[in-house]
Amino acid sequence: MARTRLQLLGPVQLFDGDEPVPIGGPGVRGLLALLALKPGKVVGLDDIIDALWGHNPPATARTIVHGNVSHLRRILRDIDGPGILTTPPGYRLDAEPEWVDVHRARSLLDRAAVATPEVAAALLAEALALWQGPALGGVPDSLEAPELEDLRLAVHGARVDADLELGRHAELIVELSPIVRADPLAERTAGQLMRALYHAGRRGDALELYRTVSRATLRTLGVEPGAELRWLHERVLNDDLPQLSRESSHLGAELSRESSVAEAISQLPAAVPNLAGRGDELAWLDGLVTRAEAGQTTIAVVSGTAGVGKSTLVVWWAHRVAHRFPDGVLFASLRGFDPHHPPLEPAELLTQFLLGLGVETARIPELLHERVALYRSLIAGRRMLVLLDDARTAEQVRPLLPPSARTMTVVTSRSRLDGLAVSNAARQRVLGTLPPDDAVALIEELAGPASLNHALARLCGYLPLALRIAGARLSASAQRTAEELVDELGNERTRLAGLQVEGAEDGVRAAFDVSFRGLPGEIAETFLRLGAVPGVMVGPHLMAAVAQIPVAEARRRLRALAAHNLLDETARDVFVPHDLVSVYLRELAEQELGDKERDEALGWTIRYYQAVADRARRRLGRVTDPLDFTGVLGDDAMPPLTGFAEAHDWFAAEWPNLLAVLDAADAVGRHDDVWRLARLGHTYRVACPLLDEWTRMADLGVAAAEAADDVAGQCWLRLARCEIALTFELPGFGLADAERAAELAAGLADERLAASADLHLGRALSRLGEHDKAIERLAKAVEEAPDVTLRGQALSSCAQAEKRAGRLSDAIAHQLDGLRADRELGDDGQVVASLDKLAELCLRAGDHAAAERYVWEAIDLAISREFVAREGALRLTLGRVLRAKGDIDGAREQLAMSVRIYERAHPKLVGEVRAELAELR
């Protein structure tokens, strides 16, 4: 993989060493670029479609993306490049960032920031050389990444600064002059050129350059140039512009020497002694300081759920950077979510700030707009930091925003305050929980090291408030052990009570309660109903079903909860509460919803999953049971799930919720719902086997059908258990369940169920070596199958039984009939399986040409439909066919590909393939 690299800074191009690798047209290039911009991170399928087609995607957009992913996987496999993994709700490029030129450029820029000028200039020149033309060349016009141009400008600007420090003024004049002529509004470049001209002895040219830029900004923007350029102009006029150096490169450092404030204001509260983690957030805030020092208006909003450590982070950071704000720091708690006091009015906050700025009480105006005007006039031109902590709304904040571009404002809130981003171009950062190691470090800061601290941190959901409470509880009592606290927090019914400090009112439950009580009416009602919905996540379609509202309204309410940081939108339309918020939600629903309301919410949840799971399984493959929930919900109330890939992704994403709904329904005795939902989920597990979860679901279904005294349900779920035994070759191969199902089916007038029971019983007998009995039973199933679906399954199973009995010609004939049935049904998954079986049968019969023809057809179809695990099996079959033909090199190549696929998709089967591959070496 080290030889493989991807170019995005220019025409999008894949390289194997120095050789370009053709990858296809704009759509394929755009897809690879999107994944490569975020290596190691999931890019949602909807985001890919939006980027590649904008607001008008074709109806087949999802199919096109799936096909292009398969195409790219083949190309990357051929050059031993990184893999593209299907990770709901999209895809992830499994590559190191250095594989992509964009991330190499960022790395070089970061290294240059701490290097000497000589080294920095070389590193930045290397980074600039990565640009081979306009970034993202050859991709669809709708795919935009303006951050790449920002990156180029940052690299170029930093390189010019390094050259200025090294005194390369003549070279820079030649380089920068045409850039400024072409774009006189590029103030940073103009300022760098002014420096170069001045230090090259061309002071008059530097002054003329300023006049040119000033005229352009006035004519185009109607304003004077920015603070930095004006400062440079003044220094050139006075003939005292110092040489650029690392110590004086920030505008603030140069301006601070001329500050007119006699004594800096400092209103910061005390900070914690140590801050656990938060490196990325600190770097983000530091970067915004640099923007403010460059004369750009800078407003930052740090939001997050209750207890996530917003104030702790910002106050700790402010203490660290206070020296970069020579005129001082203003701080105010806006009490937006204080449980005991109403939010402070802007008038009160302005009084606090005016007093801090030295205004006598008697001189503070009565009217709000006059206070605003006085406040703004006092801080205009000053280099200050203003911290507004715990804001409730954007309206509470706006009167306090300074007018000066040299003053930076940081706001914290439990809400995202999107209004500030719209009206004031505020930069936003949502604070998440701590990484596990940092969470443990926070506990150990208070209570010392202990072996159970990792478990304790996990039970605290890595939420800083909970972690501090847990650490404080351990440190406060020598008698309390970590084991006792872990036991207490391990029980969900006592977890929130355990995260409370005696005598304090800022426990986790209290913090969440304040957030909930402050929600608007219908948003609070939606949040409350979520507590009655089992599962780990929710989407607008499920919420619409539970709340009995339109999907669009459900989406609006969920996004409002995300804006209040009570839910996290982890992907498009996927909303997940923090672990402790989930516990709080369940407690809240038990306390504030009646039994009838909770039962209705659970009922609608069950109906939703029955309807959508039924829709999804019909996209995955054959459905043999009679369950049909197509009329439970309207089409507009369900996700569309138009094809196999969408249905597969839905099941994969919703599987934890499905199991949670099953458990919740079982706990309240809704046995009919349980076995039906278990049977609906069975189809997905046939396509994507997973022993433990599949077995648990089937066992739960059998028990529920027995409790409901539903004979048909018992049959269908026992057949599901038989399928599990056959799939994983469990002892007995499911014969007992198949026999019992056949016995029960005999008493029912259901041809479909009887044929299915014969089918499973025949398969079980065949695997146990009872060939004659098996073939007799399977032939009966073929003859009595009421539809082509069951007939196709019976034909394929009969062929496999005949293969085990050594009747290869009969087996091939039946498998060909089965293939025709699969094609008639349009079931690509079964077509691939039938082709693979045909290839194996022909290999056994010595017809190598037919075997190779069938397996190649199956491989092409498997790749186009992304049947990854199935492709691994097909490569194994092809390797065996080629080995039998004497093509050892070809066989070795196919088996090696099978190993690579199985390592990702089916690790348990890798050993067998590796053993065969070893025989060929």
Side-chain angles (χ1 to χ4, degrees), residues 529 533 538-555 558 600-612 632-634 636-639:
R529 286 188 177 276
V533 177
V538 65
H541 291 90
L542 172 58
M543 195 69 248
V546 173
Q548 292 293 280
I549 56 178
V551 173
E553 174 62 14
R555 181 180 290 109
L558 290 172
E600 285 178 348
L602 176 60
W604 275 113
T605 303
I606 293 169
R607 284 191 284 278
Y608 171 81
Y609 277 107
Q610 287 173 336
V612 184
V632 172
L633 294 175
D636 60 342
M638 293 189 288

Side-chain angles (χ1 to χ4, degrees), residues 178-343:
I179 297 176
V180 176
R181 279 197 302 272
D183 183 12
L185 300 182
E187 292 193 14
R188 182 181 184 188
T189 307
Q192 291 170 324
L193 180 55
M194 283 179 67
R195 286 182 179 276
L197 288 166
Y198 176 84
H199 291 299
R202 297 169 58 179
R203 181 179 172 217
D205 290 338
L207 291 171
E208 178 58 31
L209 172 63
Y210 177 80
R211 286 191 289 272
T212 300
V213 172
S214 179
R215 286 193 297 269
T217 57
L218 280 170
R219 183 175 60 253
T220 307
L221 305 176
V223 297
E224 291 283 346
E228 180 173 10
L229 215 58
R230 296 197 308 272
W231 184 88
L232 284 170
H233 179 235
E234 184 178 350
R235 297 279 66 77
V236 174
L237 278 172
N238 295 335
D239 200 15
D240 63 354
L241 178 63
Q243 287 279 358
L244 188 68
S245 67
R246 291 298 169 99
E247 290 73 23
S248 66
S249 61
H250 294 301
L251 172 64
E254 297 178 353
L255 295 177
S256 65
R257 293 195 295 269
E258 302 176 19
S259 175
S260 61
V261 180
E263 184 176 348
I265 302 160
S266 181
Q267 295 183 339
L268 279 177
V272 294
N274 297 296
L275 185 71
R278 303 303 190 197
D280 289 346
E281 290 80 7
L282 292 171
W284 178 74
L285 287 166
D286 287 344
L288 294 181
V289 176
T290 303
R291 285 172 51 88
E293 289 172 336
Q296 300 182 50
T297 300
T298 306
I299 301 169
V301 177
V302 178
S303 66
T305 193
V308 82
K310 303 175 291 293
S311 302
T312 300
L313 165 69
V314 169
V315 170
W316 192 91
W317 166 82
H319 277 279
R320 195 185 70 170
V321 300
H323 67 281
R324 297 175 70 176
F325 298 93
D327 294 331
V329 182
L330 294 174
F331 175 89
S333 173
L334 278 62
R335 298 199 317 224
F337 296 89
D338 188 320
H340 305 296
H341 303 92

Side-chain angles (χ1 to χ4, degrees), residues 16-90:
D16 184 16
D18 293 326
E19 294 296 320
V21 179
I23 55 177
V28 180
R29 292 173 184 270
L31 173 60
L32 183 56
L34 283 169
L35 298 176
L37 284 170
K38 297 180 180 180
K41 296 183 179 179
V42 178
V43 182
L45 180 56
D46 288 334
D47 295 330
I48 292 172
I49 292 171
D50 288 346
L52 295 181
W53 286 282
H55 299 296
N56 189 30
T60 57
R62 290 176 178 269
T63 302
I64 293 171
V65 172
H66 294 320
N68 286 345
V69 168
S70 298
H71 173 72
L72 285 173
R73 282 172 172 158
R74 289 197 298 273
I75 291 171
L76 292 170
R77 279 200 298 265
D78 288 344
I79 62 173
D80 199 24
I84 298 176
L85 306 181
T86 300
T87 309

